[in-house]
Amino acid sequence: MRYIDEFQDPELARRLLDDIHATVTRPWALMEVCGGQTHTIIRHGIDQLLPERVELIHGPGCPVCVTPLEVIDKALEIASRPNVIFCSFGDMLRVPGTGRDLFQVRSEGGDVRVVYSPLDALRIARQNPARQVVFFGIGFETTAPPNAMTVYQAKKLGIANFSLLVSHVRVPPAIEAIMRSPSCRVQGFLAAGHVCSVMGTGEYPGLAERHRVPIVVTGFEPLDILEGVRRAVHQLERGEHTVDNAYARAVRPEGNPAALAMLEDVFEVTDRAWRGIGIIPDSGWRLSARYREFDAEHRFSVTGIQTREPAECRSGEVLQGLLKPHECEAFGTLCTPRNPLGATMVSSEGACAAYYLYRRLELTPAPQAGTAAPLEASPVV
Amino acid sequence: MSDTALDVTGWTCPAPLRDRPRVVMGHGGGGALSAELVEHLFAPAFGGEVLAGLGDSAAVTLGGARLAFSTDSYVVRPLFFPGGSIGDLAVNGTVNDLAMSGARAAYLSCGFILEEGVEMSVVARVAEALGAAARAAGVEVATGDTKVVEAGHGDGVYINTSGIGLIPEGVDLRAQRVVPGDVVIVSGEIGLHGVAIMSVREGLEFGVDVESDCAALGGLVQAMLAVTPDLHVLRDPTRGGLAASLNEIAAASGTGVVIQEGRVPVPEAVANACAILGLDPLYVANEGKLVAFVPREHADAVLDAMRAHPLGRRARVIGEAVDAHPGLVVARTGLGGTRVVDLPIGEQLPRIC
């Protein structure tokens, strides 16, 4: 299959793995920033195939996971109002706020709709002029441009009953914050390819230089990840720390000028709280003054939100790469995808969910009677 | 309120759904929430040994005859979709549930719930599709019912069908019969129905037309049973997809299941659609496929018989039952790693990016 199979070829993967195994002479800790990359790593078992001395630390790049509880509670509050149609990407519906989630709001009569594009929300606003339509605008540099575009369109078309609940975050300030942390163990980064396809690579050389870490721009298929790891390990073994683009099929150094122009027009940089981490300076976007009328927080008075994080949840440490999901006492017991304590367990890109879904076998010792059966030896396989 | 003191000692908690005081869509998604609803609320309320089997259909003995008995309701939107309609589904879904007991469906009941205002021509098209599907499946609609709900209280047409059929002598299909060493066979390419519905419901296009695989599987099952009545279990992986069916079988049989991910037949268009939406084809619904656990010694012959049938041409062995990790389904990935294939929680949710 074009564009998918090519990047999952077992033979090519074996060659990349051989190269990595042959290159590594001592332990290295790499952080993959994006939750999509975490998902690929765990789903395909890449971490099981790498040398033990290459540790992959999972970064804060799951947009659902890092959205602050306060913002989710605001979403729940707005979505509960009778005249509101609340639109969101699907995976936000299951993220717990304080005591409930958007699915629950829907079951209580709230008009919560899953959409596949923010422009769908705008269409719903045009079809329902007597009601307020709110789109939940979360995510990194990847989802921010289409959301900016939607607000731009709403203003241009004079659609007054549309607004955006904004909680957009930016990756480079998060990398900066992680590297400044005294407990940081990260020695190299696999930067998120889709973020760079929008923003270009201009923000990274300063980070690589300042913290003396290699940053390899990396895609999302298994071979992309292995190539990213291979290049990062080669740099580390040689004592280098440059920015290397291993995702050239999608990323140009200058990024996507049209998307950047849209971001520049509609948003402005602001300090932003990250769930489990805290406030990171200049790490987010909010609507600029020209578009303030489309800001759902301004349109709906949602003050006085009292959040309550589960005390047992250590997702903040997971998001900072300080703790592996299964090292949390609540993992798999108090906290499962069925009853998640934190967003890292509920989001499909969350590191805890990935470990629970795909790694439970190794993390909960199975009876030794027989090993995983040798399918290849089967007469009919 | 009555003054009579209530005796609470015999109570079981009807709904220990701690975090779900109301029904959410996931309760109908065929995953963990659905199972919880049935096991903790419906089954304790209804009682009964037959229901406790919790198969796609119930096997009951009546007047000396072994009957398969099943019911299902159809609330699909839109009513007509590429490859079928709610009428086809209402027949094939129930016929297939009976077929998974090894029974050839004989009679169906058909209950229509119509929404006030729906066009009569739409009802007629659905009814004609239902009749045609019944004739094709060799089953007779023997009884029915019609109700109309007020405008705004339905999606045009809902259908419930129930069916009965005879289970042949010597056939005993139950997950509990699965033993380590059984071979897992899937009858063809997965994910077509779910993606076809998504493509029309959400206005998504994936570059290639995807048609639902909606079909009645009774003939295919009879062809398999003609090779040997000693099949261990059959499931049609509808809601929750192949992952849900394999998990149900693993849980009920107490065996582990290992599948080779690369051997599961996934059409290119389904794989592309799932890649775009961040869904896993293993969890996407099918309406004309089955998964079989077959004793190893019969596997080649059963596979040959399936491939000789039009609905089993692409049948493949995808894995086997093992004694390791009882109750868990594990996939070997294309790269050589392993992962757990879990029971879905509710519905699959498209990823944000």
Side-chain angles (χ1 to χ4, degrees):
Chain A
M1 185 185 313
R2 294 193 63 208
Y3 310 123
I4 298 180
D5 282 354
E6 295 92 322
F7 300 102
Q8 299 188 0
D9 185 301
E11 179 52 35
L12 291 175
R14 176 48 52 197
R15 276 188 239 160
L16 290 169
L17 280 163
D18 287 346
D19 186 316
I20 295 166
H21 277 269
T23 305
V24 172
T25 62
R26 53 201 158 117
W28 299 112
L30 303 175
M31 175 177 275
E32 86 278 359
V33 174
C34 172
Q37 292 171 332
T38 304
H39 191 82
T40 298
I41 288 163
I42 306 297
R43 185 181 192 281
H44 292 272
I46 290 172
D47 55 329
Q48 300 166 326
L49 304 170
L50 288 172
E52 268 184 34
R53 290 194 279 192
V54 176
E55 183 189 1
L56 292 177
I57 297 176
H58 314 306
C62 164
V64 172
C65 303
V66 300
T67 301
L69 189 57
E70 187 183 0
V71 176
I72 293 167
D73 283 351
K74 283 178 180 172
L76 294 167
E77 162 71 23
I78 293 170
S80 303
R81 300 197 181 183
N83 198 35
V84 166
I85 301 172
F86 193 87
C87 301
S88 170
F89 292 132
D91 49 2
M92 283 306 294
L93 266 65
R94 208 185 278 143
V95 180
T98 304
R100 57 184 184 155
D101 59 26
L102 284 166
F103 272 127
Q104 217 156 314
V105 169
R106 192 157 84 174
S107 73
E108 290 160 6
D111 193 345
V112 178
R113 302 187 190 182
V114 172
V115 294
Y116 293 81
S117 156
L119 289 170
D120 290 343
L122 199 59
R123 180 175 44 79
I124 291 169
R126 296 180 82 166
Q127 291 165 347
N128 296 272
R131 300 180 65 188
Q132 288 291 327
V133 175
V134 182
F135 181 72
F136 201 173
I138 72 149
F140 290 89
E141 291 91 334
T142 46
T143 50
N147 292 351
M149 166 72 130
T150 307
V151 173
Y152 172 85
Q153 285 275 51
K155 187 176 176 84
K156 193 173 153 198
L157 299 171
I159 302 175
N161 63 325
F162 175 82
S163 59
L164 195 66
L165 179 61
V166 194
S167 186
H168 282 298
V169 281
R170 302 171 59 233
V171 166
I175 292 180
E176 182 76 47
I178 287 165
M179 290 312 295
R180 283 178 186 277
S181 162
S183 49
C184 176
R185 297 189 297 118
V186 180
Q187 294 162 295
F189 285 95
L190 307 182
H194 55 3
V195 167
C196 297
S197 70
V198 173
M199 304 303 290
T201 54
E203 295 176 283
Y204 292 101
L207 281 167
E209 187 56 41
R210 209 157 41 246
H211 301 289
R212 303 184 69 76
V213 286
I215 299 178
V216 182
V217 178
T218 306
F220 299 89
E221 293 299 329
L223 293 191
D224 290 322
I225 303 284
L226 288 173
E227 176 63 8
V229 171
R230 192 186 73 83
R231 293 196 192 189
V233 164
H234 273 276
Q235 281 203 46
L236 287 165
E237 290 283 343
R238 291 197 298 260
E240 296 172 358
H241 48 82
T242 61
V243 176
D244 185 7
N245 183 4
Y247 197 40
R249 70 180 187 277
V251 173
R252 287 173 296 175
E254 70 276 18
N256 179 338
L260 290 170
M262 193 54 70
L263 287 172
E264 174 78 11
D265 180 44
V266 176
F267 289 136
E268 62 191 21
V269 170
T270 182
D271 297 348
R272 179 72 75 192
W274 294 52
R275 188 169 192 178
I277 297 178
I279 290 175
I280 301 177
D282 294 336
S283 69
W285 277 300
R286 64 180 174 199
L287 287 165
S288 62
R290 282 195 305 285
Y291 294 92
R292 195 59 46 86
E293 66 200 282
F294 294 96
D295 188 336
E297 289 200 51
H298 284 260
R299 188 168 298 186
F300 302 89
S301 173
V302 276
T303 51
I305 297 275
Q306 298 287 319
T307 62
R308 197 179 64 248
E309 288 275 14
E312 306 90 340
C313 184
R314 300 177 69 184
S315 60
E317 291 160 86
V318 173
L319 288 168
Q320 294 173 73
L322 303 176
L323 190 76
K324 284 275 180 359
H326 62 284
E327 291 164 357
C328 169
E329 296 78 10
F331 176 84
T333 52
L334 279 177
C335 182
T336 64
R338 173 73 187 79
N339 285 301
L341 291 179
T344 47
M345 182 59 94
V346 74
S347 161
S348 56
E349 291 183 36
C352 295
Y355 268 66
Y356 185 86
L357 291 176
Y358 301 140
R359 275 299 123 73
R360 223 157 61 247
L361 196 55
E362 296 104 273
L363 303 177
T364 50
Q368 290 306 303
T371 53
L375 264 185
E376 293 76 6
S378 162
V380 287
V381 171
Chain B
M1 192 172 166
S2 164
D3 290 326
T4 312
L6 295 173
D7 178 11
V8 298
T9 52
W11 284 15
T12 55
C13 175
L17 310 176
R18 299 170 297 281
D19 55 340
R20 298 285 173 194
R22 292 171 190 266
V23 172
V24 296
M25 289 301 288
H27 284 120
L33 285 177
S34 299
E36 187 168 302
L37 183 66
V38 172
E39 287 168 25
H40 296 290
L41 193 147
F42 289 131
F46 301 160
E49 281 176 29
V50 177
L51 181 64
L54 294 178
D56 284 344
S57 60
V60 295
T61 304
L62 203 61
R66 286 179 71 221
L67 298 174
F69 180 32
S70 185
T71 188
D72 211 335
S73 299
Y74 300 87
V75 294
V76 66
R77 198 164 41 84
L79 299 176
F80 303 93
F81 49 81
S85 71
I86 191 171
D88 303 276
L89 273 184
V91 171
N92 294 336
T94 296
V95 164
N96 291 346
D97 284 345
L98 296 171
M100 296 309 112
S101 294
R104 194 189 290 273
Y107 297 105
L108 290 185
S109 74
C110 177
F112 271 81
I113 298 173
L114 306 173
E115 184 184 6
E116 179 185 33
V118 69
E119 290 176 25
M120 202 56 84
S121 61
V122 169
V123 181
R125 277 178 69 199
V126 170
E128 279 159 20
L130 194 150
R135 285 188 291 278
V139 62
E140 186 177 342
V141 178
T143 183
D145 176 53
T146 307
K147 294 283 187 292
V148 177
V149 294
E150 288 175 27
H153 288 239
D155 265 330
V157 178
Y158 296 146
I159 302 175
N160 171 276
T161 53
S162 298
I164 54 170
L166 270 175
I167 301 174
E169 189 82 17
V171 172
D172 180 19
L173 298 175
R174 283 179 294 126
Q176 290 77 6
R177 294 195 62 217
V178 169
V179 291
D182 280 2
V183 171
V184 183
I185 302 175
V186 66
S187 66
E189 294 175 316
I190 64 163
L192 288 162
H193 178 73
V195 167
I197 293 290
M198 264 185 276
S199 69
V200 285
R201 184 186 294 174
E202 313 297 349
L204 302 170
E205 290 175 12
F206 307 114
V208 187
D209 290 336
V210 182
E211 287 204 349
S212 168
D213 56 347
C214 187
L217 294 167
L220 176 64
V221 171
Q222 295 309 315
M224 295 166 71
L225 289 171
V227 174
T228 173
D230 190 29
L231 306 175
H232 282 170
V233 70
L234 300 177
R235 282 285 156 97
D236 61 333
T238 53
R239 292 169 310 160
L242 191 57
S245 291
L246 294 176
N247 269 282
E248 286 164 15
I249 292 168
S253 65
T255 64
V257 175
V258 175
I259 60 168
Q260 291 276 17
E261 198 168 27
R263 296 195 60 83
V264 178
V266 181
E268 183 173 329
V270 170
N272 286 342
C274 288
I276 291 167
L277 296 171
L279 306 178
D280 186 337
L282 292 178
Y283 293 88
V284 177
N286 312 276
E287 285 294 348
K289 297 296 179 311
L290 63 81
V291 58
F293 281 60
V294 181
R296 181 169 295 273
E297 62 269 26
H298 300 309
D300 285 332
V302 169
L303 200 56
D304 287 345
M306 292 175 78
R307 287 175 175 162
H309 191 278
L311 295 178
R313 240 182 250 124
R314 309 291 294 272
R316 282 184 94 170
V317 171
I318 59 165
E320 62 190 326
V322 296
D323 53 10
H325 50 78
L328 276 185
V329 181
V330 170
R332 300 260 183 85
T333 71
L335 300 192
T338 56
R339 67 178 174 110
V340 175
V341 177
D342 214 357
L343 191 66
I345 297 171
E347 293 178 293
Q348 279 208 98
L349 297 170
R351 284 214 316 252
I352 179 171
C353 66

